[in-house]
Amino acid sequence: MSRTALLATATAGLVLLGAAPATAAQTPTTPATIVTCGPSALQAGLSTKVCAAVTGTNVQLYGQISLAGPPSPGSTLPVKDLITTLSGGVVGGASLGAQTQTVRFQSTTTQVRGVSGTAPCGSTVHAEFAVSAFSSPPSGPAVLNVPVTC
């Protein structure tokens, strides 16, 4: 075979390889989780806020309790028994649920979880987190409105 014929055969083979369909396996992508927290609220002398972790149409709500500021030097850190209520729902739609539970706060940031569900793409989820101590009346809850953008 001459060099020209060999070169033509090799070129034709490369053209055929380029025309072959791609067969790479496609793996499904998992949507990113977006965590959004509302502004802090002062309840039972503690800093509280409510957050939502949104992954696609799945929404998980949680409340967070922490000290409202640094403790005074030499003071003992607070231990409080609290009553918490976490609730949420799709604005103009279904409830994601509500949960009331007793929590012992011992000066470290504490999360309260337990309310989750699905919300349609384009909707807004409204969440509330209320905290009260056994010896003090409840004050306004921490609130959050978060869009489900999918």
Side-chain angles (χ1 to χ4, degrees):
M1 197 179 240
S2 71
R3 286 186 184 181
T4 307
L6 185 60
L7 184 59
T9 304
T11 303
L14 288 176
V15 169
L16 287 175
L17 283 176
T23 58
Q26 293 182 357
T27 57
T29 57
T30 304
T33 298
I34 300 170
V35 176
T36 305
C37 295
S40 295
L42 186 62
Q43 299 181 75
L46 299 167
S47 177
T48 63
K49 62 183 168 182
V50 63
C51 302
V54 180
T55 307
T57 60
N58 185 31
V59 180
Q60 294 184 339
L61 304 177
Y62 63 93
Q64 189 166 296
I65 307 165
S66 58
L67 291 173
S72 300
S75 67
T76 58
L77 294 174
V79 175
K80 290 188 175 187
D81 290 321
L82 306 169
I83 301 169
T84 65
T85 302
L86 177 64
S87 62
V90 177
V91 174
S95 171
L96 297 178
Q99 178 177 358
T100 299
Q101 62 181 310
T102 302
V103 173
R104 176 160 277 191
F105 177 77
Q106 296 181 314
S107 75
T108 59
T109 300
T110 303
Q111 290 186 352
V112 177
R113 296 181 175 267
V115 176
S116 64
T118 58
C121 292
S123 64
T124 299
V125 170
H126 176 79
E128 294 187 359
F129 181 56
V131 176
S132 63
F134 289 109
S135 61
S136 66
S139 57
V143 297
L144 171 68
N145 287 309
V146 62
V148 180
T149 57
C150 301

